[in-house]
Structures are given as structure tokens and as C-alpha cells.
Amino acid sequence: MIAPEDLADLLAPTAGAAAGPPETTRPVLLDVRWRLLGPPGRGDHAARRIPGAVFVDLDTELAAGPSAPGPGGRHPLPGPAALQAVLRAAGIRDDAPGQLVVAYDDVDGSVAARAWWLLRWAGVAPGRIRVLDGGFTAWEAIGLPVAGTEGDAPEPDPAPPGDLVVRPGAMPVVDADGAAALARDGVLLDARAAARFRGETEPVDPRAGHIPGARNTPAAATAGPDGRWPAAGVLADRFRAAGMAPGTPAGAYCGSGINACAIVLALEESGLTTPDAPAALYPGSWSEWSSDPQRPAATGDRPWAARE
């Protein structure tokens, strides 16, 4: 994570001026604002954005296009070539250790974490990638400059196209069988809201409930009321309560593999996992699992509660 104040310092016109060319010293900003039931975030980006930010569409650029529940889930991982084109267009370079990439949304980082995860999966070094703590809401709340049709801050010159080579596979993923194994033999964390985990409601996917054995740690509860994340120790206590410990085989899922990325990030922030041994992501998540009638669904608060 990176605080808005720290990002503002890095974006100052004189920041890093003597360190090298602008394309390797100025952070690349990815605006990934998105809402499950719409409207699209592109309009928000056009109206008000952090100066220099590039909008990246979650549905069509950070996923292989929105789809119906089924194999791969509602937000399948993008193909390497398609993702490479998106990241190059944003100006991300391949061998540029001084170039930071910062993703932001307008809530609690749970959507921006998808960009963080994909960059890591693509082979970008962990030290180069951050999520803006508190997102655009926190940026505006402390009066930092805003560009767009409703902002008056000047835009910097656009960065030249990047040359990033996507090398997929640097972050672990599991399929449905792998998720079931983690729920049985390790810790599988469900990032959805508690009511969806318990099976009381299901607004978008074929069936309600959760993967038997999963533990509920809603991504939205990771942050405080202001959208900022707590200290590492607080995060660690939350995950320990769900059965996590250093070295425990762990994975995360949600509705379609978006918010679960925030759990993978939060586990690293907590110190319970490391960049060398991160938690696995189940990209298909509940949208894939629930579309298969052969897969059981548990309901209630407990991991192994009543199953269909």
C-alpha cells in the first residue's frame, strides 16, 4: 500500500528530476474504479482523476471480458498478449526498477488489488507495485490536486508506450479442485459479504452459499470507515482468527476473482504470507463453482455447515 500523501510527493514536478528520464521516475497511475452492478468507472475517470492517471477497465482489460457464470467464472484472467497490450499502453516498462506502478479505486482497495495481483502474476517485481490506501476518495479528502472535466489541475505529459513483457505465472492460482483441497487441508478464505457467504442472498451467481470448508473474511471489512487499511498487526489478528498462521497453505476466492485479490494482498501486508510465498487465488471463484451442479454448497456461518 501507499498513502495518498506519499504518492503526492512522488508526483511533485521536481520529484526524481535528477534521477533519470521521466518515464522511469514518475509513477504509472492506473485508475480501476469499478462497481459490481455499474455504472462503468470510465465516466468517473473523465470527470475527476489523479493527474496523469490512465483508466483501465476491469471488465474488458483486467479480465477476458465479462461473461456468464461457468468455466473460468464471470471474470476470467486476461490472456497474456491482451494484458501486455493494456499495460504497455499505460506506459509500464519491463526493466525499470525505479518506475513505480500505483493502482487505485474509489473505495477500499479491493478492486485496485486486482491490478496489483495481475501485475505480480505478469512478472513485475513486487517492490514496484502499490495500491493507493483509501483510493481516490482519500486523495480528494485531503485536498490533493484533481484533473478532469471537473478538476483544475494540469495533466503531465503522457508517458511514452511501455515495453513490458508479460510472463504469466508468477502468482499461484488454483482451480476448483485446488480450492476444495485448500479448504480441506489448509485455509481457504472467502472475500464476499457475510450474507452471501451464509447463503442468505446471492445477487449474481447461480446458487447461494460457499465452498465447504471456506472461512469468511470479507474484503470490504479489511479497511476502516475511511477506506484506509489498518496496521499489519491488526490485519494479522483478523486472519489468525480465521485460522491463518505463517506457513499455512492458503488461498482466496470471492464472487468472480476480483475482491479475493485484496485478501491475497492483505495477507502479505499482515506478514502472514510473503512475496516469495503468497496465497493462491481461485480466479473462477464462486461464479464458476456455483455453476457446476456437482459441486456442493455450504450455508450458514460455519465452514462445514449444512450442504446441498
Side-chain angles (χ1 to χ4, degrees):
M1 303 293 284
I2 185 171
E5 301 88 343
D6 295 335
L7 177 59
D9 289 342
L10 292 175
L11 295 176
T14 56
E23 64 266 24
T24 61
T25 56
R26 180 181 174 85
V28 173
L29 305 179
L30 305 180
D31 182 342
V32 296
R33 283 176 279 182
W34 173 83
R35 298 169 187 83
L36 176 61
L37 302 177
R42 193 176 295 276
D44 294 334
H45 173 83
R48 302 177 70 78
R49 59 183 175 269
I50 298 175
V54 176
F55 182 76
V56 180
D57 185 73
L58 186 146
D59 285 325
T60 61
E61 296 179 313
L62 298 183
S67 64
R74 285 184 281 109
H75 286 106
L77 297 182
L83 180 62
Q84 179 172 286
V86 169
L87 299 180
R88 285 186 175 188
I92 301 174
R93 301 190 64 79
D94 195 42
D95 186 17
Q99 184 191 58
L100 197 65
V101 184
V102 179
Y104 70 88
D105 51 39
D106 58 0
V107 282
D108 51 19
S110 58
V111 175
R114 170 72 169 214
W116 168 88
W117 188 92
L118 280 172
L119 284 160
R120 288 276 300 275
W121 177 76
V124 178
R128 289 184 56 192
I129 315 164
R130 298 287 187 277
V131 167
L132 182 63
D133 193 15
F136 187 71
T137 302
W139 180 272
E140 278 199 301
I142 58 177
L144 292 170
V146 173
T149 57
E150 298 177 8
D152 55 11
E155 290 277 19
D157 293 335
D163 61 359
L164 179 71
V165 176
V166 168
R167 303 172 179 87
M171 292 288 276
V173 298
V174 293
D175 59 10
D177 288 340
L182 278 172
R184 182 182 64 247
D185 304 324
V187 173
L188 180 65
L189 300 175
D190 184 323
R192 296 173 302 156
R196 291 181 72 187
F197 176 84
R198 292 191 296 264
E200 296 168 2
T201 182
E202 182 44 66
V204 287
D205 291 320
R207 289 184 289 156
H210 61 266
I211 296 174
R215 321 289 181 89
N216 190 213
T217 54
T222 298
D226 60 356
R228 305 287 285 266
W229 285 26
V234 175
L235 289 173
D237 288 344
R238 178 178 180 236
F239 290 122
R240 286 192 188 100
M244 270 298 300
T248 303
Y253 78 98
C254 54
S256 66
I258 302 301
N259 292 337
C261 296
I263 299 300
V264 178
L265 172 58
L267 284 167
E268 279 197 19
E269 292 283 314
S270 76
L272 293 176
T273 64
T274 69
D276 292 330
L281 176 71
Y282 173 25
S285 284
W286 185 248
S287 58
E288 178 183 64
W289 182 283
S290 63
S291 69
D292 182 351
Q294 302 303 312
R295 300 278 177 187
T299 57
D301 283 320
R302 296 183 179 182
W304 297 99
R307 306 187 204 183
E308 292 180 1

